[in-house]
Amino acid sequence: HMTDALKHLTKLLRPVAISTDLYRGIGSCNDGADATYGGHFLGQASAAAMQTVEQDRHIHSLHAYFIRGGKPGKPIDYHVERTRDGRTFSTRRVVAKQNDKTLFELSASFSKQKITTLDLGRPFRDASWPHPSHRLCGSLNGDDHDPFLHLQS
């Protein structure tokens, strides 16, 4: 059973289909922010893209570009480009606009195979940093011209 706040959030993050590949969401409001930002765009753009792929496809990767904040409480249009639908993967590009200004861009791929766990087949080695065998070159004080880390023997 969902709380009223969770019902509101799930409704907010599901933009409505206006036409083929065009969805409309509402910018955040009454949340204390002076504009609509990051996670709001990411949630709505991802939901719009998911509505254009087969239901057996799951999010595989997302790349997001936050360009400018949106006006709170005002409509945001999400234009979905169906870049490719392959046998295993689908790719989508989503552009969020408000008053003809681009606010956010998303590139997403969806996989037919749901990835549930990461199994590398071997345990991770200790990767604590900095490792005592590394030293920072003295390029800042003129002792060395190579600004990269070197492995000491």
Side-chain angles (χ1 to χ4, degrees), residues 69-142:
K71 295 188 187 311
K74 302 294 181 190
I76 300 168
D77 290 337
Y78 293 88
H79 304 265
V80 179
E81 176 187 318
R82 297 174 190 237
T83 310
R84 183 171 190 274
D85 286 312
R87 286 182 305 209
T88 307
F89 286 91
S90 294
T91 307
R92 297 293 184 264
R93 181 173 176 268
V94 183
V95 177
K97 291 187 173 192
Q98 194 176 59
N99 299 324
D100 291 323
K101 290 184 179 178
T102 299
L103 308 175
F104 175 87
E105 293 179 356
L106 174 78
S107 288
S109 70
F110 298 84
S111 173
K112 205 170 190 176
Q113 180 179 5
K114 188 174 184 179
I115 300 169
T116 55
T117 62
L118 178 64
D119 181 12
L120 299 177
R122 58 182 160 61
F124 287 103
R125 67 178 177 84
D126 180 20
S128 58
W129 184 260
H131 191 276
S133 65
H134 286 83
R135 67 174 174 85
L136 181 60
C137 293
S139 63
L140 295 177
N141 63 15

Side-chain angles (χ1 to χ4, degrees), residues 2-113:
M2 281 198 279
T3 65
D4 288 341
L6 186 55
K7 285 178 190 176
H8 175 73
L9 179 63
T10 56
K11 182 179 177 184
L12 183 70
L13 293 178
R14 287 191 186 134
V16 176
I18 301 298
S19 64
T20 303
D21 300 335
L22 177 61
Y23 298 83
R24 181 161 293 151
I26 298 295
S28 58
C29 61
N30 299 325
D31 62 0
D34 60 346
T36 300
Y37 295 111
H40 193 100
F41 291 132
L42 188 62
Q44 288 183 343
S46 298
M50 285 191 288
Q51 291 182 57
T52 69
V53 298
E54 296 296 324
Q55 288 200 348
D56 66 344
R57 309 260 166 150
H58 306 278
I59 292 176
H60 173 258
S61 70
L62 298 172
H63 301 274
Y65 302 92
F66 302 93
I67 298 165
R68 63 172 57 93
K71 295 188 187 311
K74 302 294 181 190
I76 300 168
D77 290 337
Y78 293 88
H79 304 265
V80 179
E81 176 187 318
R82 297 174 190 237
T83 310
R84 183 171 190 274
D85 286 312
R87 286 182 305 209
T88 307
F89 286 91
S90 294
T91 307
R92 297 293 184 264
R93 181 173 176 268
V94 183
V95 177
K97 291 187 173 192
Q98 194 176 59
N99 299 324
D100 291 323
K101 290 184 179 178
T102 299
L103 308 175
F104 175 87
E105 293 179 356
L106 174 78
S107 288
S109 70
F110 298 84
S111 173
K112 205 170 190 176
Q113 180 179 5

